[in-house]
Amino acid sequence: METNVGQQGRIISGAAGGLLTLLGARKRGPLGLLMAAAGGYLVYRAATGNDPVMQAAGGGAVASKPIFVEHSVVIDRPAQQVYDYWRKLENLPHVMSHLESVTVLDDRRSRWVAKAPLGSHVEWEAEIVNDKPGERIGWHSLPGATVDNAGSVQFEALASGGSAGANSGGGQAMGNPTGGSTRVHVALSYRPPAGPLGAAVAKMFGAEPSQQIAEDLQKFKQSFENGTLKN
């Protein structure tokens, strides 16, 4: 039997599959049967290291479309100040709740560790590919990453005094008389580590970035404006 699932994928599949099987057994009707079937599939995938869907596709990974996440927030601080905080990549776990740690390896490369369903985690190396101080940071994961992903953060300087308008989370910048405000726009693209089924399981347990990024940016805005977060 061909092994076509990596160790990290087997760990995540086993944990998620066991819980889905248990939950499915406790439910009645079609939903319970569907959960149990999905759980059994994941348990098989974890135990054997073989994914029949991948094998049917020719032994490679399931070709799934990337998932895109975008959100913006206006922060009552100058663009350079906000950029400086993000550019220190070790600070990012204080911004994005799904991250456990980011370790800088050199000027461009870093190692990321992120939370996964049921207390597991995934990790990968990333490289900065676009860095314009005070304006933009862009990165992508390096080949072989458990989570194939890319992202960018843009820091748009807004005029002092205010009227940047409401951010996408419903708040409104009041304006910073010492240096203006900043619209922070985050765009992420990623492929779930276990394909489309893995995305569904992650979403069920609240571990999908699209559910987190809006809340994370609002919390970052509040903490950065009140001085809780510092470079």
Side-chain angles (χ1 to χ4, degrees):
M1 182 181 296
E2 179 184 356
T3 299
N4 57 10
V5 180
Q7 184 63 27
Q8 197 74 48
R10 294 177 71 171
I11 292 172
I12 294 173
S13 295
L19 185 55
L20 275 177
T21 302
L22 178 61
L23 293 175
R26 292 178 177 177
K27 285 185 176 289
R28 297 179 179 179
L31 178 59
L33 290 175
L34 180 61
M35 293 175 68
Y41 170 81
L42 289 174
V43 169
Y44 172 86
R45 189 176 188 272
T48 64
N50 174 265
D51 189 322
V53 177
M54 287 186 184
Q55 190 169 353
V62 177
S64 59
K65 293 182 179 180
I67 296 174
F68 296 96
V69 182
E70 288 188 274
H71 196 74
S72 297
V73 67
V74 174
I75 298 177
D76 188 24
R77 290 292 180 271
Q80 186 66 50
Q81 184 179 344
V82 184
Y83 164 88
D84 288 344
Y85 187 87
W86 281 72
R87 187 58 180 85
K88 292 183 178 179
L89 300 182
E90 300 96 330
N91 288 334
L92 292 185
H94 299 301
V95 180
M96 301 179 182
S97 60
H98 68 282
L99 289 178
E100 292 184 0
S101 66
V102 178
T103 303
V104 173
L105 302 177
D106 57 35
D107 288 344
R108 303 189 71 83
R109 296 185 306 116
S110 53
R111 181 180 300 277
W112 299 49
V113 179
K115 301 173 185 176
L118 307 178
S120 59
H121 67 269
V122 293
E123 59 182 271
W124 64 91
E125 289 189 8
E127 178 183 28
I128 291 178
V129 294
N130 190 349
D131 186 6
K132 192 169 184 179
E135 296 184 18
R136 184 181 303 109
I137 305 171
W139 70 91
H140 64 198
S141 57
L142 293 174
T146 305
V147 179
D148 183 16
N149 68 93
S152 68
V153 185
Q154 295 188 29
F155 308 90
E156 179 187 354
L158 304 174
S160 297
S163 70
N167 61 53
S168 57
Q172 185 172 4
M174 299 303 294
N176 180 357
T178 64
S181 300
T182 305
R183 178 177 286 110
V184 179
H185 181 79
V186 178
L188 301 174
S189 170
Y190 74 103
R191 295 179 188 271
L197 183 58
V201 173
K203 187 173 183 179
M204 178 180 296
F205 296 106
E208 188 183 349
S210 62
Q211 298 175 347
Q212 298 173 353
I213 191 66
E215 292 182 4
D216 287 348
L217 285 180
Q218 283 299 314
K219 290 178 181 178
F220 173 68
K221 167 185 169 68
Q222 295 170 6
S223 298
F224 201 73
E225 288 181 348
N226 66 26
T228 304
L229 300 178
K230 297 181 180 179
N231 288 335

